[in-house]
Amino acid sequence: MWKLKIAEDGPWLITVNNHVGRQHWEFDPEAGTPEERSHVEWLRQEFKKNRFRVKQSSDLLMRMQLRKENPCGPIPPLVKVKETEAVTEEAVTTTLRRGISFYSCLQTRDGHWPAESAGSLFFLPPLVITLYVIGSLNVVMTLEHRKEIIRYIYNHQNEDGGWGLHIEGDSSMLCSVLNYITLRLLGEGPGDGEDMAAARGRKWILDHGGLVAIPSFGTFWVAVLGVYEWAGCNPLLPELCLLPKTFPIHPGTMICSGRLGYLAMSYIYGKRFVGPVTRLVEELKEELYNEPYHQINWNKARTTIAKEDIYNPTPIAQDLIWGFLYHIAEPFLTCWPFSMLREKALKVAMEHIHYEDENSRYIGMACALKILSLLACWVENPNSEVHKRHLARVPDYYWIAEDGLKIQSFGSQLWDTAFAVQAIISSNLTDEYGPTLRKAHDFIKASQVQHNPSGNLTAMYRHISKGAWTFTTQDQGWQVSDCTAEGLKCALLLSQIPPDLVGEKMEKEQLYDAVNVILSYQSNKGGFPAWEPQRAYRFLEKISSTEFFEADVVEMEYVECTSSAMQGLALFRKLYPKHRRSEIDHCISRAVSYIEEIQNLDGSWYGNWGVCYTYGTWFAVKGLAACGKTYRNSPTLRKACEFLLSRQLPNGGWGESYLSCRNKVYTNLEGNRANLVQTAWALLSLSNAGQAEVDACPIHRGIKVLINSQMEDGDFPQQEITGAFFRTGLLNYSAYRNIFPIWALGDYRRHVLGA
């Protein structure tokens, strides 16, 4: 059986806090009883049987293990509220106790809640391709790893034979090609899989234009593998990092994910690295094209993209620039003496790659960037210590569930724990869950970043991080504005609970450091970006080379980050009224204005990191309410309530499709289904906005949906994915199904029933 390991050391690993928050899976053939192993297999078969109806796994292997390790004892009987019945405080309190008791069982010994953060189908293939070309596939991945990856890919193949950008999406060329190739690299034949699944995948690819129609991100990986020519790729010039830093398209002005990806990709492109051309590579060349490989026009292939993959079409001006770089700049830069400039650029790019690796303890900022860095370091020196440290961190990204092995985006340890703490505190049952909150408090304290990145931050395009919190762990090191604000909020909330219950509060100097980080982010417009302050103009988004994403080139303000910053600073100001008071007052005032200005005409806000208008509206409302806005004094909040009430479903819940993110129009789930997480977001918004003072009936109806959806064991069912990024990407945060119903019920108990 697979076992989830928490906070464990290993060869070649580096840590600053004894691996607090680290989570990775290992296969132990001796683990589990025969009954448990049989049950795991039953769970797998059940998922497979229902995979076209229920796309998302329920994280049942992790839940099964942790509930065995942390039994919660007896819980109150299940509560149901009939449509004709009123919601009582007893029903709410019982549901809360059941939900918090269950969720406390899933907490690890270091205090965080492990959970899946995956769902995109282009995360996994680059890792398998990289390990294949560097000859480490069978070293890093055992037979059990390969078996679970194959299971995952087949489980998430669409009925038409292709694979979507994410597990709920329609088939795309990018993910169909990459996942088909991954199956073949892992030993599957072209006709393998149930009902000729691999053959159906290949047919979808050929029917939609063949491999030549893959988007630019995909051309990079198939060129590395050797089933595509670098001549079919738009140039990724490493020389950009030699330009003056004031130049608009300098990597230093990009959003950090774009910058780190570009530096590594440009290094590999500059080296024209291609893996060993094995017999399997030659077979793939024959399988994935509609014409003989040697007859392909690579210049034409460079601009050929399947219509299914085009979300963000490149403008004509950008096509002209690519043409100039391809036909003129690239040949020019690869000829002596100008090739010396390339060598210098490659050296500079590699310096940045090593710097980022060292400062993230070789975890990397995110899965895609970690894989690129791993490959670049191997290309530079396959026998280096750096390469060994990279391989040692690969398991940090694995996640195992009943649908197979997937790759995490970057883990959400701090993010989920911060929300869980606030949800439990909202219930006003803290006296009953002191041990849970104490462990979470310890985790939050151990996860704050204690130092800035090393060296010259300006030269390495980095921002301060001392006092920040990351999305994941302190070892990963990448500061995020909203994670810092949520971490600060938790520290402040826990400081108001007796220390004999939740442990000693954080030192005020550590809180001051967090405030310093938050204040450093605010933009000229008053909003807050995510990882770093804004360094470039929004118009640069027009030069994005990623056809299937949007908003992935430069940092910009986000309603979520702005709201979290407002909430954290407002609570800090209340408890520490003399510290940097004028700066904090000014910052909050500008942030409030920003939130109010970006409200949509219908009263909603677009959510950038969740699905979608329900998510953005929850953040906006919570931020405004934390800063003194109420239903009575704020037209903005009244409009927000009107928006949410207009979207409430006949059953009392809310359910929003991921298509809202893509199309930027609120779209109900198919069949007008309710989603518990989105229902909770809407209820939290209405409660915080003061809707109950006017008419609490819509809130009562929504609360019934949450109560009646709770399962026998206190868990809540997994439903559609609710996390998002870059408009078309989706992530499942499996902890949300527990956190947000608890939070909404707790908020209702305190502020609606208790009003």
Side-chain angles (χ1 to χ4, degrees), residues 600-627:
N600 295 320
L601 292 176
D602 65 359
S604 69
W605 285 264
Y606 182 91
N608 299 275
W609 306 109
V611 179
C612 169
Y613 292 97
T614 323
Y615 186 70
T617 300
W618 169 58
F619 268 99
V621 167
K622 192 164 177 59
L624 292 172
C627 297

Side-chain angles (χ1 to χ4, degrees), residues 623-652:
L624 292 172
C627 297
K629 298 296 181 179
T630 68
Y631 191 94
R632 303 294 181 188
N633 69 20
S634 173
T636 304
L637 289 184
R638 292 196 292 273
K639 282 180 64 179
C641 290
E642 291 169 7
F643 162 73
L644 290 167
L645 295 177
S646 74
R647 301 300 178 181
Q648 190 171 24
L649 299 169
N651 67 4

Side-chain angles (χ1 to χ4, degrees), residues 111 130 167 244 312 394 457 534 625 645 674 700:
T130 295
I167 61 173
N312 186 21
V394 169
L457 302 190
Q534 286 183 291
L645 295 177
H700 298 323

Side-chain angles (χ1 to χ4, degrees), residues 35-100:
E35 292 78 14
E36 287 170 337
R37 290 194 289 270
S38 176
H39 183 60
V40 167
E41 190 56 37
W42 180 81
L43 294 174
R44 289 168 173 159
Q45 292 304 316
E46 283 296 298
F47 181 86
K48 179 181 175 183
K49 183 171 65 178
N50 298 297
R51 66 189 184 278
F52 296 128
R53 184 175 59 86
V54 180
K55 302 293 185 77
Q56 179 55 51
S57 65
S58 296
D59 228 355
L60 296 176
L61 273 61
M62 178 273 288
R63 288 164 187 255
M64 176 179 165
Q65 175 186 326
L66 292 181
R67 289 187 68 194
K68 180 182 178 182
E69 294 174 0
N70 309 313
C72 66
I75 60 174
L78 186 65
V79 174
K80 297 292 182 183
V81 181
K82 295 178 181 178
E83 187 175 345
T84 56
E85 294 178 337
V87 178
T88 65
E89 183 170 358
E90 181 183 2
V92 173
T93 304
T94 299
T95 305
L96 276 168
R97 286 194 172 109
R98 289 168 46 78
I100 299 173

Side-chain angles (χ1 to χ4, degrees), residues 11-24:
W12 296 103
L13 298 180
I14 303 171
T15 183
V16 295
N17 67 347
N18 294 318
H19 297 293
V20 170
R22 183 174 188 240
Q23 50 189 30
H24 72 286

Side-chain angles (χ1 to χ4, degrees), residues 163 382 443 547 737:
W163 285 266
F443 174 77
E547 304 86 355
R737 77 198 228 208

